[in-house]
């Protein structure tokens, strides 16, 4: 008698509840082919559970991001299309002169303005670097410290959760072992009863035959 | 020819026969115990003397021997077995010894002794080699028989006699004595024991013969029956010195020391030390322990001086001999010689003194026929025995050594070379064990170390190591001299070192190897034990050398050098003489020849070249004098005779210097030829005062120095040759010198100069304040003044400088002026010189500022001086006031002050509309850069090309700036990257970790929830499964019960049925039986 049969029997009685006791049932070990069968069943079930068109009514509708911002929108599209980011225009950093060889005054002025802008940018960079030199290490340190704290917290909660899981599993195992013991004894008893019932039935049949023979004999004797 | 014979035990059978034999030629005294035997003695023509060996003392016998002037004593007494073992001892041993003592006690010529002993009297344990087996058997019987006691005491007596050397003796040992008539023949000398009987007549005859044979002294002769005539046999025995005890050699120890013995002794001392003399002497067959010790301390000890006696030693010796007469042992260590050496030296000195005396007295005899010298008298004559051979040099080894000597040498070598005694072996074993243990510990340590356990060496236990440290040690204070060298030297006894280590500092293995090598070499070459010997000797010598060295170091004395003969003062004098002479010469150098001649020649050195070494003052031989004195004292007769006092030889100085506790001795002083005797008193404190003719240390009768110039005025010795005139002269010259000296003193001058400090009248009034100004106050005042000064200085600066407004770094004065004129071309005409002045002033001010307060970018070299003279403060203030007044009047408030004016101006400015195009920022935009002049100019001034050129220049400048800036920034960034790289990496790692952890957390959460659901599920399904199964089991049980019941029913039915069937069957059977019976009965009936 295997758990599978129990399952089927129970499944027939209460359709959705399955009643395996994994810490007690050892059908896999007794019959490795069962595992394949089970996996096949699972795969079949998973195949059935492919997403269908109709979502659960509780699932919220999809949101459209950056609807008001065309730049971000295009960027989002680019990312969705998995396009590489367009290369930055680094030309202006080289402070080019006017394109035409003598160049007009306008062109020269533009070039000069660009140069001034870049110089200003450079100054900003330097300012930033100076700031970074002053405060960078400390800021990084604080950042790292926060990260560390987070990591520690996460580790801790993970540990706790794992412990909880282990606890749950331990409970389950204990419970199942207890139930399993009962089941085992009951099963043994069941087997014994089956065999004894059979024996008694056989004995009854034999006795009935004997009775028949004896009654016939009696009749014979009486007839004599 | 011995004529007087005393026979001890005169009533013996042999004694009586001997007395009878000696009757006519000799006078015989027979000493008997009791008067009963007198008749027998007189019958034998001898004089009976009644003295008992048991009762009379040795001195009685001595008296008797002396009184009778006995030549020979024959001892033939014996207890004869009467009176038990005690009496045997009393007579045969003690009696004999008494006689020996008595003979020794005889004063003049000691009588000879002939002792009648018994054959085979010997040490029982030593069997003479000439004995045959039969002899040995017989001897054994005899010694163990009834005569055991007799033999023992006879032997003891013999042994005692053998040791005595004071008188000659002979032992006659007859065999078994018979009373038969004499045969006149016998076997005398070294004999066996077989056929050992001999007649008493023959023994008596032999004794008679022995009386005339002094050559038999020191022999022990057997006499037994034989065929040789007595006389022949005896003479042969004496000639061969056929000692019966040839095997048991009796050696009189002593005699001259041989070289081999000395060497053995030294080696033995090196091994056994200076205390175990018995052990040492056991190596030397011919020397006793005492003699060995004497040899070492009298001769061999390396510290013994064998050099000539020095004068000091002689002095000491004589002095001490006088103080402690004949106590040589006491004197010896003080003198530093051995006692014997001291004695001998003393005798020699006295002998010399005697000789000298006899010479002086003319007792020596004429010419060469001098009497025997003392040395000759003392020298040993041939045949005489040296009384103390220990103090004599060793006799050199003969080329062919005696057999026994060789034997001794080899035995000593073997014994001394054997360093491996029981103890040494044990020590070696212990050493090995120790080494093994050490190695084991090392190995253990190494293994532990390899295993990572490091065993620290345990610190020594607390407390004191009394073997290493000295409790309460207090080091002596260091002295003046560095004694590090001496301290480093090892003089301590080699305690704790093994003998082996001391001998040769080699390890046993090395030694083994060495030995093997040596053996191999022996096998090749010479062989024998020669190398063995060399090694042994070398080792000993080295050790002895080392010991000596240690001893000598320990006893080293202070080095005493005689004081310098030319002392410091004398040297000074020499120099002084030389210099003084030169000086004197120099004084008269210019004068005539005659003046020079008058001067004494002080050139000491010149003279010294030719000077002979002066003779040392004759020394008095104190020692000889003292020796003669001592001799006189020794030969002096008792003072009781009332003779004159012992004649003493006084020394030159009235004594010999031996009067006090220690002898005084003077060092002979070599006089210095260069020094005039200037300071005799300072030279020698001990010297006698001047005028003493016996002044030691000065050359007598030296040529007197003419010291006319009184160079040495303090020299007041009355030298020989000092005439009264000279004395007078000296006094005069002294006087003159004093007068001259006083006159040479400078005249007193009474002119004083007073120095008065200079007048300071003016300052006095100013400084006449109550108190000095407080320093802090003054400082504060000065500070205030300085600050005021500075403030004024700052105020004098231009407003541009004061407010930090932009201003040109370089000012082109002329260009600026020109430009200003240009721009205000029209105005010049009107405002002519005023504007011009302002412009000039402005330009100059600008230049001044550029110079005095330079800003970055200036082209002026440092230290440039501005030619601009800053106007006076008053002038500026006046100008300002004028400006103020002008503005005020322009505004319409001539009376307004500065603040009001400013407020007013500000309100006016606010009211006015600001025209953008007129502002500097707007104008600045329009200006263009002129590349040529490097200035910003109006665009109108420039052509198109010039404009573009200006722009391009600006662009290029920007590019350059950009390039340098970018480079700088890049560098900074790189540096920052290095600084922050670590943090960034850490941050990345942390981020990754966090994301990983979070993922896992999610997974775990999922798992947890799944398992929780499972648990809920299982908690429901599990019991259900159980109940279902229980139900099933219950059903089955019911069914089983039903079946069981059914079975029981069926069974009961069957039983019923069976019973019924059996009833039926019984019935059938009964019927059948009845039928049968009937049938049977029928049959019977039928039958």
């Amino acid at each position: 008698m295997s758990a599978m049969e129990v399952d089927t029997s129970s499944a027939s009685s209460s359709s959705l509840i399955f009643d395996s006791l994994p810490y007690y049932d050892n059908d896999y070990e007794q019959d490795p082919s069962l595992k394949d069968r089970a996996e096949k069943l699972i795969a079949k079930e998973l195949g059935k559970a492919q997403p269908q068109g109709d979502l659960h009514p509780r699932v919220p509708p999809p949101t459209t991001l950056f609807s008001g911002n065309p730049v971000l929108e295009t960027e989002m599209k680019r990312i969705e299309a998995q396009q590489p980011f367009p290369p930055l225009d680094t030309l202006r950093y080289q402070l080019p002169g006017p394109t035409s060889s003598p160049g007009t005054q306008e062109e020269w002025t533009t070039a000069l303005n660009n140069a001034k802008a870049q110089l200003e940018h450079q100054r900003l960079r330097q300012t930033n670097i100076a700031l970074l030199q002053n405060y960078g290490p400390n800021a990084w340190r604080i950042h790292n410290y926060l990260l560390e704290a987070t990591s520690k917290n996460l580790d801790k909660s993970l540990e706790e959760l794992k412990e909880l899981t282990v606890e749950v599993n331990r409970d389950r195992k204990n419970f199942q072992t207890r139930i399993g013991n009962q089941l085992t004894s009951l099963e043994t008893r069941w087997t014994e009863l089956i065999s004894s019932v059979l024996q008694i039935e056989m004995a009854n049949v034999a006795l009935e035959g004997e009775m028949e023979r004896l009654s016939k004999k009696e009749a014979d004797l009486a007839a004599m | 020819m011995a004529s007087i014979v005393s026979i001890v035990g005169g009533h013996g059978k042999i004694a009586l026969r001997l007395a009878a034999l000696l009757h006519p030629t000799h006078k015989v005294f027979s000493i008997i115990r009791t008067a009963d035997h007198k008749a027998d003695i007189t019958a034998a023509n001898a004089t009976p003397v009644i003295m008992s060996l048991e009762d009379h003392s040795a001195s009685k016998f001595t008296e008797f021997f002396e009184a009778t002037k006995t030549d020979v004593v024959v001892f033939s007494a014996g207890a004869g077995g009467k009176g038990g073992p005690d009496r045997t001892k009393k007579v045969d041993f003690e009696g004999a010894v008494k006689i020996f003592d008595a003979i020794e006690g005889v004063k003049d010529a000691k009588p000879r002794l002939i002792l009648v002993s018994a054959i085979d009297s010997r040490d029982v344990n030593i069997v003479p080699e000439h004995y045959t087996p039969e002899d040995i058997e017989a001897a054994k019987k005899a010694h163990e028989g009834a005569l055991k006691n007799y033999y023992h005491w006879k032997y003891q007596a013999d042994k005692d006699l053998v040791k005595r050397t004071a008188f000659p003796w002979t032992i006659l040992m007859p065999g078994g004595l018979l009373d038969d008539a004499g045969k006149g023949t016998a076997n005398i000398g070294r004999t066996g024991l077989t056929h050992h009987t001999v007649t008493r007549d023959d023994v008596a005859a032999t004794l008679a013969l022995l009386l005339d044979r002094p050559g038999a002294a020191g022999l022990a002769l057997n006499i037994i029956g034989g065929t040789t005539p007595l006389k022949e046999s005896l003479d042969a025995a004496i000639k061969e010195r056929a000692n019966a005890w040839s095997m048991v050699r009796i050696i009189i120890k002593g005699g001259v020391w041989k070289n081999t013995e000395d060497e053995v002794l030294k080696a033995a001392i090196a091994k056994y030390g200076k205390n175990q003399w018995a052990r040492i002497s056991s190596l030397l067959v011919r020397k006793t322990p005492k003699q060995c010790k004497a040899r070492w301390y009298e001769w061999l000890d390396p510290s013994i001086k064998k050099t000539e006696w020095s004068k000091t030693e002689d002095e000491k010796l004589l002095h001490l001999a006088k103080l402690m007469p004949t106590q040589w042992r006491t004197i010896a260590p003080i003198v530093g010689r051995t006692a014997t050496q001291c004695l001998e030296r003393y005798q020699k000195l006295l002998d010399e003194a005697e000789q000298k005396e006899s010479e002086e007295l003319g007792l020596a005899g004429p010419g060469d026929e001098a009497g025997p010298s003392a040395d000759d008298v003392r020298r040993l004559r041939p045949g005489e025995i040296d009384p103390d051979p220990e103090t004599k040099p060793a006799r050199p080894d003969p080329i062919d050594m005696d057999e026994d000597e060789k034997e001794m040498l080899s035995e000593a070598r073997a014994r001394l070379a054997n360093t491996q005694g029981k103890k040494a072996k044990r020590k070696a074993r212990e050493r090995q064990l120790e080494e093994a243990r050490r190695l084991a510990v090392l190995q253990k340590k190494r293994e532990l170390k390899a295993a990572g356990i490091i065993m620290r060496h345990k610190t020594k236990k607390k407390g004191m190591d009394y073997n290493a440290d000295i409790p309460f040690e207090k080091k002596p204070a260091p002295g003046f001299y560095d004694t590090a060298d001496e301290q480093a030297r090892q003089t301590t006894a080699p305690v704790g070192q093994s003998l082996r280590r001391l001998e040769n500092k080699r390890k046993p293995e090395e030694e083994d190897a060495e030995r093997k090598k040596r053996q191999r070499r022996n096998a090749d070459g010479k062989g024998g034990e020669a190398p063995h010997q060399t090694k042994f000797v070398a080792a000993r010598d080295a050790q002895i050398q080392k010991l000596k060295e240690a001893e000598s170091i320990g006893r080293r004395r202070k080095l005493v050098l005689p004081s310098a003969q030319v002392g410091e003062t004398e040297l000074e004098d020499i120099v002084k003489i030389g210099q003084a002479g030169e000086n004197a010469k120099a004084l008269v150098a210019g004068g005539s020849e005659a003046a020079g001649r008058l001067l004494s020649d002080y050139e000491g050195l010149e003279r010294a070249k030719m000077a002979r070494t002066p003779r040392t003052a004759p020394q008095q031989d104190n020692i000889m004098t003292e020796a003669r004195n001592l001799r006189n004292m020794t030969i002096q007769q008792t003072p009781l005779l009332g003779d004159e006092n012992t004649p003493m030889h006084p020394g030159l100085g009235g004594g010999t210097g031996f009067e006090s506790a220690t002898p005084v001795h003077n060092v002979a002083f070599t006089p210095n030829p260069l020094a005039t005797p200037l300071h005799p008193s300072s030279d020698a404190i001990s010297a006698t005062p001047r005028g003493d003719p016996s002044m030691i240390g000065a050359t007598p009768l030296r040529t007197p120095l003419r010291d006319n110039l009184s160079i040495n005025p303090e020299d007041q010795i009355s030298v020989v040759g000092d005439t009264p005139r000279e004395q007078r002269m000296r006094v005069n010259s002294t006087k003159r010198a004093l007068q001259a000296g006083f006159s040479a003193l400078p005249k007193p001058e009474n002119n004083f100069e007073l120095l008065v400090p200079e007048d300071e009248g003016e300052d006095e009034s100013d400084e006449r304040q109550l108190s000095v100004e407080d320093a802090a106050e003054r400082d504060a005042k000065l500070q205030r003044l300085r600050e005021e000064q500075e403030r004024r200085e700052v105020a004098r600066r231009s407003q541009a400088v004061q407010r930090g407004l932009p201003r040109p770094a370089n000012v082109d004065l002329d260009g600026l002026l020109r430009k200003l004129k240009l721009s205000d071309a029209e105005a010049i005409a009107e405002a002519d010189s005023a504007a011009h002045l302002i412009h000039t002033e402005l330009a100059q001010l600008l230049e001044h500022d550029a110079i005095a307060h330079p800003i970055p970018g200036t082209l002026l070299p440092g230290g440039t001086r501005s030619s601009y003279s800053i106007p006076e403060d008053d002038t500026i203030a006046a100008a300002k006031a004028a400006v103020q007044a002008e503005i005020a009047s322009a505004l319409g408030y001539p009376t307004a002050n500065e603040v009001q004016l400013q407020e007013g101006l500000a309100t006016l400015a606010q009211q006015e509309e600001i025209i953008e195009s007129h502002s500097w920022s707007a104008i600045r935009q329009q200006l263009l850069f002129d590349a040529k002049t490097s200035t910003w100019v109006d665009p109108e001034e420039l052509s198109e090309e010039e404009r573009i050129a200006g722009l391009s220049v600006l662009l290029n400048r920007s590019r350059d700036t950009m390039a340098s800036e970018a480079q700088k920034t890049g560098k900074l960034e790189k540096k920052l990257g290095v600084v922050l790289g670590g943090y960034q990496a850490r941050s990345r790692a942390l981020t990754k970790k966090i994301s990983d952890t979070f993922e896992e957390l999610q997974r775990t959460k999922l798992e947890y929830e799944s398992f929780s659901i499972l648990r809920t599920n299982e908690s429901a399904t599990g019991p259900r499964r159980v109940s279902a199964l229980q139900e099933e089991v219950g059903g089955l049980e019911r069914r089983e019960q039903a079946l069981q019941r059914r079975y029981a029913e069926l069974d009961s039915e069957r039983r019923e049925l069976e019973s019924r069937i059996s009833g039926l069957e019984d019935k059938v059977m009964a019927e059948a039986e009845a039928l049968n019976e009937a049938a049977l009965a029928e049959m019977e009936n039928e039958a």
Side-chain angles (χ1 to χ4, degrees), chain B residues 307-606:
Chain B
T307 50
E308 289 275 296
W309 282 68
S310 71
K311 205 172 161 192
T312 332
E313 281 175 327
D314 275 344
E315 275 174 0
K316 262 188 196 168
L317 174 69
L318 289 178
H319 187 71
L320 289 165
K322 203 160 113 188
L323 290 178
M324 297 178 273
T326 72
Q327 297 181 38
W328 301 111
R329 290 267 164 219
T330 319
I331 291 169
I334 304 172
V335 179
R337 298 272 179 163
T338 67
T340 326
Q341 278 175 322
C342 289
L343 175 59
E344 273 176 2
R345 180 64 188 171
Y346 180 72
Q347 279 172 345
K348 191 149 189 280
L349 283 173
L350 289 205
D351 287 345
E352 275 171 16
E354 188 184 2
Q355 208 174 346
K356 201 157 189 186
E357 210 149 82
S358 54
E359 262 172 34
E360 281 171 6
L361 297 172
L363 295 174
D368 301 333
E369 294 170 31
S373 71
D375 264 357
D376 289 340
V377 172
R378 286 190 204 285
R379 197 184 297 137
L380 290 173
R381 249 154 264 120
E384 269 185 345
I385 299 167
D386 192 350
D388 53 357
E390 275 75 37
T391 56
K392 300 293 182 294
R395 183 194 287 164
D397 290 334
I399 296 164
D400 49 339
M401 277 199 280
D402 280 355
E403 202 56 44
D404 57 341
E405 219 161 305
K406 277 183 188 165
E407 201 179 301
M408 179 195 81
L409 204 57
S410 65
E411 194 193 326
R413 190 177 294 147
R415 265 180 63 185
L416 290 173
N418 179 22
T419 53
Q420 289 284 56
K422 246 189 199 167
K423 191 175 178 186
K425 274 180 188 151
R426 184 176 48 123
K427 290 274 182 201
R429 203 167 53 236
E430 278 169 4
R431 206 165 41 237
Q432 265 179 339
L433 275 174
E434 182 57 36
E435 182 71 9
R437 191 159 51 233
R438 201 176 63 80
L439 284 177
V441 168
L442 265 182
Q443 177 69 16
K444 184 184 165 193
K445 231 186 227 171
R446 203 171 296 143
E447 277 170 13
L448 283 171
K449 202 177 175 187
I453 303 163
I454 290 168
M455 293 266 286
R456 290 261 168 262
H457 182 66
K458 282 268 162 51
T459 44
K460 284 255 174 80
K461 61 175 186 288
K462 267 192 241 165
M464 194 150 208
D465 182 4
Y466 285 95
N467 288 325
D469 305 329
I470 303 165
F472 306 112
E473 187 187 12
K474 197 174 179 187
K475 291 255 166 65
F480 294 116
Y481 303 104
D482 184 17
T483 55
D485 280 356
E486 277 173 48
Q487 275 162 358
R489 223 166 313 178
Q490 198 102 27
T491 55
T492 51
V495 178
Q497 277 178 297
S498 69
L499 195 61
R500 178 189 291 271
R501 183 74 50 77
L502 276 180
E503 273 168 7
N504 42 0
K505 292 176 186 120
R506 279 182 296 185
K507 287 185 175 167
E509 308 93 71
E510 284 175 10
E511 210 173 338
D512 276 353
E514 190 82 357
R515 189 159 54 226
K516 271 180 196 147
K517 218 160 73 188
R518 213 160 43 225
Q519 276 166 357
R520 235 178 293 128
R521 212 168 47 220
N522 285 356
D524 299 344
K526 331 176 241 178
E529 48 190 14
H532 192 68
Q533 181 189 7
T534 52
K535 174 222 155 199
F536 147 72
V537 169
R540 289 296 146 194
D541 279 356
Q543 200 187 352
I544 289 172
Q545 185 66 31
K546 216 169 161 187
L547 286 172
K548 270 190 232 169
E549 208 173 303
E551 233 168 320
S552 66
I553 288 164
R555 275 205 313 251
R556 198 165 62 185
R557 292 202 185 85
K558 218 167 99 185
L559 179 65
V560 181
L561 289 173
S563 54
Q565 293 205 342
V566 180
E568 282 289 317
T569 43
E570 213 165 348
L571 276 174
E572 260 171 42
D573 289 339
I574 292 168
V575 173
K576 198 170 164 191
I577 290 168
Q579 278 180 349
E582 288 302 312
N583 291 346
K585 280 234 169 128
L587 276 176
V588 296
S592 65
E593 186 85 352
R597 284 290 158 88
L598 286 172
L599 289 164
S600 303
D601 186 10
Y602 277 101
E603 277 189 337
L605 291 171
E606 195 64 33

Side-chain angles (χ1 to χ4, degrees), chain B residues 587-644:
Chain B
L587 276 176
V588 296
S592 65
E593 186 85 352
R597 284 290 158 88
L598 286 172
L599 289 164
S600 303
D601 186 10
Y602 277 101
E603 277 189 337
L605 291 171
E606 195 64 33
R607 204 176 50 177
K609 279 177 195 164
M610 258 75 83
R612 269 185 344 138
T613 309
R615 183 177 165 227
T616 314
Q619 290 282 304
Q620 190 191 3
D621 193 352
N622 277 342
I623 292 165
M624 196 40 70
T625 320
E626 187 59 28
R628 283 162 81 175
N629 287 348
L630 280 174
R631 200 191 107 74
N632 285 348
M633 279 159 77
T634 47
I635 58 170
Q636 172 202 19
Q637 279 193 312
T638 170
L640 294 177
L641 291 173
D643 214 346
E644 274 179 46

Side-chain angles (χ1 to χ4, degrees), chain A residues 80-209:
Chain A
E80 271 174 1
Q82 294 187 326
Q83 297 280 325
F85 190 77
L88 287 171
D89 177 20
T90 55
L91 194 66
R92 58 186 171 138
Y93 297 117
Q94 294 162 9
L95 312 186
T99 42
S100 54
S101 74
T104 58
Q105 199 193 336
E106 286 306 307
E107 280 170 344
W108 275 108
T109 318
T110 337
L112 196 55
N113 284 342
N114 177 42
K116 280 176 184 168
Q118 294 319 315
L119 277 175
E120 193 60 33
H121 164 67
Q122 199 68 19
R123 226 181 335 275
L124 273 176
R125 234 177 108 195
Q126 281 181 2
T127 315
N128 284 336
I129 282 171
L131 282 173
L132 208 54
Q133 268 179 335
N134 269 344
Y135 305 107
N138 209 25
W140 273 110
R141 231 174 270 153
I142 290 164
H143 171 70
N144 282 350
Y145 172 76
L146 289 174
L147 282 182
E148 269 170 24
T150 317
S151 163
K152 217 180 275 176
N153 280 340
L154 274 177
D155 279 344
K156 204 175 150 197
S157 49
L158 177 63
E159 201 63 33
E160 278 171 6
L161 204 56
K162 273 183 178 168
E163 261 175 36
L164 278 175
T165 317
V166 168
E167 189 63 32
V168 164
N169 281 337
R170 198 179 289 131
D171 274 2
R172 282 175 61 211
K173 191 179 180 180
N174 285 342
F175 176 74
Q176 287 180 25
T177 320
R178 211 172 58 239
I179 295 285
N181 283 340
Q182 287 178 15
L183 282 174
T184 314
S185 64
L186 283 171
E187 271 172 23
T188 324
R189 177 90 181 111
W190 186 83
T191 325
E192 279 170 10
L193 284 172
I194 286 287
S195 65
S196 68
V197 162
L198 273 176
Q199 277 172 12
I200 293 165
E201 273 183 353
M202 294 284 283
N204 281 356
V205 168
L207 264 181
E208 273 169 16

Side-chain angles (χ1 to χ4, degrees), chain B residues 3 109 131 135 217 260 263 289 307 373 450 471 538 605 628 710 777 899 905:
Chain B
S3 54
Y131 276 18
D135 291 346
T260 46
E263 293 304 319
T307 50
S373 71
L605 291 171
R628 283 162 81 175
S710 297
E777 263 175 45
V899 180
L905 280 175

Side-chain angles (χ1 to χ4, degrees), chain A residues 22 95 97 108 122 125-126 141 148 155 162 171-172 176 189 200-201 204 207-208 211 218, chain B residues 948 959 965 969 973 983 986-987 997 1000 1011 1015 1018 1037 1039 1044 1046-1047 1053 1057 1060:
Chain A
L95 312 186
W108 275 108
Q122 199 68 19
R125 234 177 108 195
Q126 281 181 2
R141 231 174 270 153
E148 269 170 24
D155 279 344
K162 273 183 178 168
D171 274 2
R172 282 175 61 211
Q176 287 180 25
R189 177 90 181 111
I200 293 165
E201 273 183 353
N204 281 356
L207 264 181
E208 273 169 16
M211 287 289 293
E218 192 190 8
Chain B
I948 288 173
R959 273 177 188 160
E965 289 289 299
T969 322
E973 268 180 350
Y983 295 123
R986 173 87 179 123
S987 165
T997 320
E1000 208 183 340
F1011 283 126
R1015 183 170 61 173
E1018 277 157 7
E1037 272 174 354
R1039 190 168 163 209
Q1044 288 279 7
R1046 168 87 183 123
Y1047 180 82
E1053 269 178 44
L1057 206 56
R1060 264 200 321 250

Side-chain angles (χ1 to χ4, degrees), chain B residues 756-796:
Chain B
V756 178
E758 274 179 47
D759 213 17
E760 299 176 354
E762 292 171 13
D763 293 343
E764 269 177 300
S765 61
D766 274 8
E767 291 184 0
R768 207 181 296 153
Q769 283 177 342
L770 280 177
S771 64
V772 184
E773 190 183 15
D774 192 75
E777 263 175 45
R778 199 192 56 211
D779 282 353
K781 199 173 78 186
L782 287 176
Q783 182 75 16
R784 270 201 307 282
L785 281 172
R786 240 196 332 271
E787 275 169 13
E788 180 70 15
Q789 197 72 29
E790 272 169 20
R791 201 181 50 73
R792 272 189 214 149
E793 200 68 37
V794 169
R796 265 183 223 132

